[in-house]
Each structure stands twice: as structure tokens, then as C-alpha cells.
Amino acid sequence: MPIYEYQCQSCGHELEIMHKMSDAPPVDCPSCNEAALTRRISAAGFRLAGGGWYETDFKSGGSKKNLADSGGSAAGSGNACASCPSNPGSTAA
């Protein structure tokens, strides 16, 4: 079951609730009892770990680690992908 984040529009209380996707979203705030809860947009809270295709494919050389472990960010770095053929600065064949 996914974990959803909600915020009360009345008092500002924030909470996380785990429920099925098919369940109706809660509307009553547990803090102020107003019917003002709205779902917040948030990032997924999981990370793929281990030796699967996402860890080993699309990388060259044994020294490259998982991007999350290196402290770098692929998004917003200016370079799309150094090994992608569509990247003008690519060194891949």
C-alpha cells in the first residue's frame, strides 16, 4: 500500500497515511476535526538496491557507483547522459 501525505488547509497540520489506492481519501483533520485535508504531491519514498539491470546496465567501468551514493544528481546537472548517443558531448561509440 502506498503512503500518502496530507495537509489540513484549516490548521496546517501535516500527516502521512497508508491506504489502498482504491480507498476514498480522508477529509477530516485529526488535529482540528475540520473537513479540510488535501493530498500533497511528494516524491516516491523508495530506492532500488542490489545488483539488477538498474545497477549494472548503462554504465561503463567498474568504478562507477549508484548515482544516489555518489552525492551527485543526474537531474539539473546540465549533461543529459554522458553515454547516450543523443548527447552532443558523448564519448560513447
Side-chain angles (χ1 to χ4, degrees):
M1 281 191 287
I3 298 173
Y4 295 99
E5 292 183 21
Y6 291 91
Q7 182 174 20
C8 179
Q9 297 301 307
S10 179
C11 69
H13 179 72
E14 296 178 354
L15 66 147
E16 296 178 343
I17 300 174
M18 182 170 47
H19 61 79
K20 294 180 184 177
M21 294 174 70
S22 60
D23 288 348
V27 291
D28 295 329
C29 175
S31 181
C32 68
N33 295 322
E34 295 289 324
L37 280 183
T38 57
R39 191 179 331 191
R40 298 181 64 198
I41 304 296
S42 60
F46 72 94
R47 177 177 173 261
L48 301 175
W53 65 268
Y54 46 84
E55 183 72 25
T56 56
D57 289 358
F58 309 112
K59 294 181 183 180
S60 60
S63 64
K64 292 195 176 184
K65 300 288 183 192
N66 191 326
L67 292 176
D69 294 339
S70 66
S73 173
S77 64
N79 292 335
C81 173
S83 62
C84 294
S86 61
N87 187 356
S90 175
T91 59

PDB file of all heavy atoms in Angstrom, residues 51-82:
ATOM      1  N   GLY A  51      21.955  -5.753  -7.207  1.00  0.00           N
ATOM      2  CA  GLY A  51      22.646  -5.921  -8.481  1.00  0.00           C
ATOM      3  C   GLY A  51      21.702  -6.264  -9.608  1.00  0.00           C
ATOM      4  O   GLY A  51      21.784  -7.349 -10.170  1.00  0.00           O
ATOM      5  N   GLY A  52      20.797  -5.389  -9.931  1.00  0.00           N
ATOM      6  CA  GLY A  52      19.861  -5.612 -11.037  1.00  0.00           C
ATOM      7  C   GLY A  52      20.254  -4.796 -12.250  1.00  0.00           C
ATOM      8  O   GLY A  52      21.306  -4.155 -12.279  1.00  0.00           O
ATOM      9  N   TRP A  53      19.414  -4.787 -13.278  1.00  0.00           N
ATOM     10  CA  TRP A  53      19.728  -4.056 -14.511  1.00  0.00           C
ATOM     11  C   TRP A  53      19.925  -2.574 -14.253  1.00  0.00           C
ATOM     12  O   TRP A  53      20.733  -1.922 -14.878  1.00  0.00           O
ATOM     13  CB  TRP A  53      18.637  -4.260 -15.556  1.00  0.00           C
ATOM     14  CG  TRP A  53      17.323  -3.674 -15.147  1.00  0.00           C
ATOM     15  CD1 TRP A  53      16.316  -4.288 -14.488  1.00  0.00           C
ATOM     16  CD2 TRP A  53      16.888  -2.333 -15.382  1.00  0.00           C
ATOM     17  NE1 TRP A  53      15.278  -3.429 -14.268  1.00  0.00           N
ATOM     18  CE2 TRP A  53      15.600  -2.215 -14.816  1.00  0.00           C
ATOM     19  CE3 TRP A  53      17.447  -1.218 -15.990  1.00  0.00           C
ATOM     20  CZ2 TRP A  53      14.871  -1.040 -14.859  1.00  0.00           C
ATOM     21  CZ3 TRP A  53      16.714  -0.037 -16.029  1.00  0.00           C
ATOM     22  CH2 TRP A  53      15.444   0.032 -15.477  1.00  0.00           C
ATOM     23  N   TYR A  54      19.196  -2.015 -13.296  1.00  0.00           N
ATOM     24  CA  TYR A  54      19.296  -0.594 -12.996  1.00  0.00           C
ATOM     25  C   TYR A  54      20.642  -0.255 -12.361  1.00  0.00           C
ATOM     26  O   TYR A  54      21.091   0.866 -12.402  1.00  0.00           O
ATOM     27  CB  TYR A  54      18.167  -0.170 -12.056  1.00  0.00           C
ATOM     28  CG  TYR A  54      17.971  -1.120 -10.905  1.00  0.00           C
ATOM     29  CD1 TYR A  54      18.731  -1.016  -9.764  1.00  0.00           C
ATOM     30  CD2 TYR A  54      17.049  -2.158 -10.987  1.00  0.00           C
ATOM     31  CE1 TYR A  54      18.578  -1.904  -8.721  1.00  0.00           C
ATOM     32  CE2 TYR A  54      16.884  -3.047  -9.945  1.00  0.00           C
ATOM     33  CZ  TYR A  54      17.648  -2.913  -8.812  1.00  0.00           C
ATOM     34  OH  TYR A  54      17.490  -3.792  -7.792  1.00  0.00           O
ATOM     35  N   GLU A  55      21.300  -1.235 -11.754  1.00  0.00           N
ATOM     36  CA  GLU A  55      22.580  -1.006 -11.098  1.00  0.00           C
ATOM     37  C   GLU A  55      23.751  -1.263 -12.036  1.00  0.00           C
ATOM     38  O   GLU A  55      24.772  -0.597 -11.948  1.00  0.00           O
ATOM     39  CB  GLU A  55      22.691  -1.925  -9.869  1.00  0.00           C
ATOM     40  CG  GLU A  55      23.961  -1.739  -9.058  1.00  0.00           C
ATOM     41  CD  GLU A  55      23.979  -0.438  -8.272  1.00  0.00           C
ATOM     42  OE1 GLU A  55      22.917   0.085  -7.953  1.00  0.00           O
ATOM     43  OE2 GLU A  55      25.092   0.042  -7.985  1.00  0.00           O
ATOM     44  N   THR A  56      23.614  -2.224 -12.933  1.00  0.00           N
ATOM     45  CA  THR A  56      24.758  -2.645 -13.723  1.00  0.00           C
ATOM     46  C   THR A  56      24.705  -2.224 -15.186  1.00  0.00           C
ATOM     47  O   THR A  56      25.739  -2.022 -15.789  1.00  0.00           O
ATOM     48  CB  THR A  56      24.893  -4.176 -13.676  1.00  0.00           C
ATOM     49  OG1 THR A  56      23.664  -4.756 -14.130  1.00  0.00           O
ATOM     50  CG2 THR A  56      25.184  -4.641 -12.267  1.00  0.00           C
ATOM     51  N   ASP A  57      23.552  -2.102 -15.768  1.00  0.00           N
ATOM     52  CA  ASP A  57      23.461  -1.726 -17.175  1.00  0.00           C
ATOM     53  C   ASP A  57      23.616  -0.215 -17.339  1.00  0.00           C
ATOM     54  O   ASP A  57      23.453   0.554 -16.413  1.00  0.00           O
ATOM     55  CB  ASP A  57      22.127  -2.161 -17.773  1.00  0.00           C
ATOM     56  CG  ASP A  57      22.047  -3.665 -17.940  1.00  0.00           C
ATOM     57  OD1 ASP A  57      23.042  -4.342 -17.624  1.00  0.00           O
ATOM     58  OD2 ASP A  57      21.013  -4.146 -18.378  1.00  0.00           O
ATOM     59  N   PHE A  58      23.913   0.185 -18.534  1.00  0.00           N
ATOM     60  CA  PHE A  58      24.053   1.582 -18.916  1.00  0.00           C
ATOM     61  C   PHE A  58      25.193   2.273 -18.191  1.00  0.00           C
ATOM     62  O   PHE A  58      25.218   3.478 -18.079  1.00  0.00           O
ATOM     63  CB  PHE A  58      22.746   2.359 -18.693  1.00  0.00           C
ATOM     64  CG  PHE A  58      21.553   1.687 -19.311  1.00  0.00           C
ATOM     65  CD1 PHE A  58      20.568   1.142 -18.526  1.00  0.00           C
ATOM     66  CD2 PHE A  58      21.447   1.579 -20.681  1.00  0.00           C
ATOM     67  CE1 PHE A  58      19.476   0.512 -19.089  1.00  0.00           C
ATOM     68  CE2 PHE A  58      20.356   0.947 -21.254  1.00  0.00           C
ATOM     69  CZ  PHE A  58      19.374   0.417 -20.469  1.00  0.00           C
ATOM     70  N   LYS A  59      26.133   1.534 -17.667  1.00  0.00           N
ATOM     71  CA  LYS A  59      27.317   2.099 -17.040  1.00  0.00           C
ATOM     72  C   LYS A  59      28.535   1.411 -17.636  1.00  0.00           C
ATOM     73  O   LYS A  59      28.492   0.243 -17.976  1.00  0.00           O
ATOM     74  CB  LYS A  59      27.308   1.877 -15.526  1.00  0.00           C
ATOM     75  CG  LYS A  59      26.206   2.609 -14.803  1.00  0.00           C
ATOM     76  CD  LYS A  59      26.293   2.356 -13.322  1.00  0.00           C
ATOM     77  CE  LYS A  59      25.152   3.031 -12.615  1.00  0.00           C
ATOM     78  NZ  LYS A  59      25.193   2.804 -11.181  1.00  0.00           N
ATOM     79  N   SER A  60      29.619   2.145 -17.740  1.00  0.00           N
ATOM     80  CA  SER A  60      30.847   1.519 -18.224  1.00  0.00           C
ATOM     81  C   SER A  60      31.929   1.724 -17.175  1.00  0.00           C
ATOM     82  O   SER A  60      31.998   2.759 -16.529  1.00  0.00           O
ATOM     83  CB  SER A  60      31.269   2.139 -19.563  1.00  0.00           C
ATOM     84  OG  SER A  60      31.489   3.525 -19.421  1.00  0.00           O
ATOM     85  N   GLY A  61      32.745   0.726 -16.988  1.00  0.00           N
ATOM     86  CA  GLY A  61      33.816   0.812 -15.993  1.00  0.00           C
ATOM     87  C   GLY A  61      33.339   0.343 -14.634  1.00  0.00           C
ATOM     88  O   GLY A  61      32.193   0.544 -14.266  1.00  0.00           O
ATOM     89  N   GLY A  62      34.219  -0.272 -13.895  1.00  0.00           N
ATOM     90  CA  GLY A  62      33.866  -0.807 -12.591  1.00  0.00           C
ATOM     91  C   GLY A  62      33.862   0.224 -11.483  1.00  0.00           C
ATOM     92  O   GLY A  62      33.411  -0.038 -10.393  1.00  0.00           O
ATOM     93  N   SER A  63      34.388   1.423 -11.759  1.00  0.00           N
ATOM     94  CA  SER A  63      34.498   2.409 -10.692  1.00  0.00           C
ATOM     95  C   SER A  63      33.225   3.224 -10.497  1.00  0.00           C
ATOM     96  O   SER A  63      33.108   3.945  -9.518  1.00  0.00           O
ATOM     97  CB  SER A  63      35.658   3.367 -10.991  1.00  0.00           C
ATOM     98  OG  SER A  63      35.382   4.096 -12.173  1.00  0.00           O
ATOM     99  N   LYS A  64      32.261   3.121 -11.411  1.00  0.00           N
ATOM    100  CA  LYS A  64      31.033   3.906 -11.286  1.00  0.00           C
ATOM    101  C   LYS A  64      30.119   3.280 -10.244  1.00  0.00           C
ATOM    102  O   LYS A  64      29.912   2.091 -10.214  1.00  0.00           O
ATOM    103  CB  LYS A  64      30.322   4.016 -12.624  1.00  0.00           C
ATOM    104  CG  LYS A  64      31.098   4.848 -13.611  1.00  0.00           C
ATOM    105  CD  LYS A  64      30.240   5.235 -14.754  1.00  0.00           C
ATOM    106  CE  LYS A  64      31.025   6.161 -15.668  1.00  0.00           C
ATOM    107  NZ  LYS A  64      30.230   6.649 -16.745  1.00  0.00           N
ATOM    108  N   LYS A  65      29.598   4.110  -9.394  1.00  0.00           N
ATOM    109  CA  LYS A  65      28.695   3.685  -8.332  1.00  0.00           C
ATOM    110  C   LYS A  65      27.291   4.182  -8.657  1.00  0.00           C
ATOM    111  O   LYS A  65      27.082   4.937  -9.590  1.00  0.00           O
ATOM    112  CB  LYS A  65      29.141   4.247  -6.982  1.00  0.00           C
ATOM    113  CG  LYS A  65      30.528   3.816  -6.577  1.00  0.00           C
ATOM    114  CD  LYS A  65      30.540   2.364  -6.199  1.00  0.00           C
ATOM    115  CE  LYS A  65      31.926   1.969  -5.724  1.00  0.00           C
ATOM    116  NZ  LYS A  65      32.115   0.582  -5.598  1.00  0.00           N
ATOM    117  N   ASN A  66      26.350   3.785  -7.830  1.00  0.00           N
ATOM    118  CA  ASN A  66      24.988   4.263  -7.956  1.00  0.00           C
ATOM    119  C   ASN A  66      24.985   5.780  -7.805  1.00  0.00           C
ATOM    120  O   ASN A  66      25.659   6.325  -6.940  1.00  0.00           O
ATOM    121  CB  ASN A  66      24.137   3.597  -6.871  1.00  0.00           C
ATOM    122  CG  ASN A  66      22.672   3.822  -7.094  1.00  0.00           C
ATOM    123  OD1 ASN A  66      22.263   4.867  -7.583  1.00  0.00           O
ATOM    124  ND2 ASN A  66      21.895   2.836  -6.738  1.00  0.00           N
ATOM    125  N   LEU A  67      24.203   6.484  -8.621  1.00  0.00           N
ATOM    126  CA  LEU A  67      24.174   7.938  -8.566  1.00  0.00           C
ATOM    127  C   LEU A  67      23.766   8.457  -7.194  1.00  0.00           C
ATOM    128  O   LEU A  67      24.249   9.478  -6.741  1.00  0.00           O
ATOM    129  CB  LEU A  67      23.227   8.485  -9.628  1.00  0.00           C
ATOM    130  CG  LEU A  67      23.686   8.292 -11.072  1.00  0.00           C
ATOM    131  CD1 LEU A  67      22.618   8.783 -12.035  1.00  0.00           C
ATOM    132  CD2 LEU A  67      24.976   9.022 -11.324  1.00  0.00           C
ATOM    133  N   ALA A  68      22.884   7.746  -6.512  1.00  0.00           N
ATOM    134  CA  ALA A  68      22.455   8.176  -5.180  1.00  0.00           C
ATOM    135  C   ALA A  68      23.602   8.099  -4.183  1.00  0.00           C
ATOM    136  O   ALA A  68      23.674   8.885  -3.253  1.00  0.00           O
ATOM    137  CB  ALA A  68      21.281   7.327  -4.704  1.00  0.00           C
ATOM    138  N   ASP A  69      24.521   7.154  -4.372  1.00  0.00           N
ATOM    139  CA  ASP A  69      25.648   7.002  -3.464  1.00  0.00           C
ATOM    140  C   ASP A  69      26.738   8.037  -3.702  1.00  0.00           C
ATOM    141  O   ASP A  69      27.499   8.359  -2.807  1.00  0.00           O
ATOM    142  CB  ASP A  69      26.276   5.613  -3.590  1.00  0.00           C
ATOM    143  CG  ASP A  69      25.326   4.517  -3.134  1.00  0.00           C
ATOM    144  OD1 ASP A  69      24.382   4.823  -2.376  1.00  0.00           O
ATOM    145  OD2 ASP A  69      25.522   3.366  -3.554  1.00  0.00           O
ATOM    146  N   SER A  70      26.815   8.575  -4.922  1.00  0.00           N
ATOM    147  CA  SER A  70      27.903   9.489  -5.248  1.00  0.00           C
ATOM    148  C   SER A  70      27.628  10.919  -4.800  1.00  0.00           C
ATOM    149  O   SER A  70      28.504  11.752  -4.855  1.00  0.00           O
ATOM    150  CB  SER A  70      28.162   9.471  -6.762  1.00  0.00           C
ATOM    151  OG  SER A  70      27.052  10.010  -7.457  1.00  0.00           O
ATOM    152  N   GLY A  71      26.382  11.197  -4.383  1.00  0.00           N
ATOM    153  CA  GLY A  71      26.063  12.548  -3.944  1.00  0.00           C
ATOM    154  C   GLY A  71      25.731  13.465  -5.096  1.00  0.00           C
ATOM    155  O   GLY A  71      25.359  14.599  -4.905  1.00  0.00           O
ATOM    156  N   GLY A  72      25.851  12.984  -6.331  1.00  0.00           N
ATOM    157  CA  GLY A  72      25.532  13.789  -7.493  1.00  0.00           C
ATOM    158  C   GLY A  72      24.085  13.644  -7.856  1.00  0.00           C
ATOM    159  O   GLY A  72      23.371  12.787  -7.371  1.00  0.00           O
ATOM    160  N   SER A  73      23.644  14.521  -8.745  1.00  0.00           N
ATOM    161  CA  SER A  73      22.268  14.468  -9.204  1.00  0.00           C
ATOM    162  C   SER A  73      22.270  14.487 -10.718  1.00  0.00           C
ATOM    163  O   SER A  73      22.850  15.372 -11.327  1.00  0.00           O
ATOM    164  CB  SER A  73      21.486  15.660  -8.659  1.00  0.00           C
ATOM    165  OG  SER A  73      20.213  15.689  -9.231  1.00  0.00           O
ATOM    166  N   ALA A  74      21.598  13.533 -11.333  1.00  0.00           N
ATOM    167  CA  ALA A  74      21.532  13.492 -12.781  1.00  0.00           C
ATOM    168  C   ALA A  74      20.617  14.582 -13.301  1.00  0.00           C
ATOM    169  O   ALA A  74      20.830  15.149 -14.354  1.00  0.00           O
ATOM    170  CB  ALA A  74      21.039  12.118 -13.250  1.00  0.00           C
ATOM    171  N   ALA A  75      19.573  14.898 -12.552  1.00  0.00           N
ATOM    172  CA  ALA A  75      18.632  15.924 -12.986  1.00  0.00           C
ATOM    173  C   ALA A  75      19.217  17.296 -12.678  1.00  0.00           C
ATOM    174  O   ALA A  75      19.706  17.559 -11.598  1.00  0.00           O
ATOM    175  CB  ALA A  75      17.303  15.749 -12.264  1.00  0.00           C
ATOM    176  N   GLY A  76      19.157  18.187 -13.657  1.00  0.00           N
ATOM    177  CA  GLY A  76      19.602  19.541 -13.452  1.00  0.00           C
ATOM    178  C   GLY A  76      21.098  19.720 -13.511  1.00  0.00           C
ATOM    179  O   GLY A  76      21.601  20.763 -13.170  1.00  0.00           O
ATOM    180  N   SER A  77      21.838  18.725 -13.921  1.00  0.00           N
ATOM    181  CA  SER A  77      23.286  18.866 -13.935  1.00  0.00           C
ATOM    182  C   SER A  77      23.794  19.484 -15.226  1.00  0.00           C
ATOM    183  O   SER A  77      24.960  19.782 -15.347  1.00  0.00           O
ATOM    184  CB  SER A  77      23.953  17.498 -13.717  1.00  0.00           C
ATOM    185  OG  SER A  77      23.651  16.634 -14.796  1.00  0.00           O
ATOM    186  N   GLY A  78      22.905  19.644 -16.225  1.00  0.00           N
ATOM    187  CA  GLY A  78      23.330  20.227 -17.488  1.00  0.00           C
ATOM    188  C   GLY A  78      23.686  19.171 -18.510  1.00  0.00           C
ATOM    189  O   GLY A  78      23.510  19.369 -19.696  1.00  0.00           O
ATOM    190  N   ASN A  79      24.229  18.030 -18.124  1.00  0.00           N
ATOM    191  CA  ASN A  79      24.533  16.943 -19.039  1.00  0.00           C
ATOM    192  C   ASN A  79      23.440  15.901 -18.922  1.00  0.00           C
ATOM    193  O   ASN A  79      23.182  15.398 -17.840  1.00  0.00           O
ATOM    194  CB  ASN A  79      25.885  16.298 -18.703  1.00  0.00           C
ATOM    195  CG  ASN A  79      27.031  17.232 -18.984  1.00  0.00           C
ATOM    196  OD1 ASN A  79      26.917  18.116 -19.808  1.00  0.00           O
ATOM    197  ND2 ASN A  79      28.127  17.043 -18.281  1.00  0.00           N
ATOM    198  N   ALA A  80      22.828  15.587 -20.046  1.00  0.00           N
ATOM    199  CA  ALA A  80      21.736  14.615 -20.010  1.00  0.00           C
ATOM    200  C   ALA A  80      22.279  13.248 -19.617  1.00  0.00           C
ATOM    201  O   ALA A  80      21.871  12.676 -18.636  1.00  0.00           O
ATOM    202  CB  ALA A  80      21.032  14.563 -21.353  1.00  0.00           C
ATOM    203  N   CYS A  81      23.236  12.743 -20.387  1.00  0.00           N
ATOM    204  CA  CYS A  81      23.799  11.421 -20.121  1.00  0.00           C
ATOM    205  C   CYS A  81      25.071  11.303 -20.942  1.00  0.00           C
ATOM    206  O   CYS A  81      25.029  11.386 -22.158  1.00  0.00           O
ATOM    207  CB  CYS A  81      22.787  10.341 -20.491  1.00  0.00           C
ATOM    208  SG  CYS A  81      23.442   8.683 -20.402  1.00  0.00           S
ATOM    209  N   ALA A  82      26.178  11.101 -20.296  1.00  0.00           N
ATOM    210  CA  ALA A  82      27.465  11.065 -20.990  1.00  0.00           C
ATOM    211  C   ALA A  82      27.566   9.897 -21.957  1.00  0.00           C
ATOM    212  O   ALA A  82      28.281   9.967 -22.948  1.00  0.00           O
ATOM    213  CB  ALA A  82      28.603  11.013 -19.982  1.00  0.00           C
TER     214      ALA A  82
END
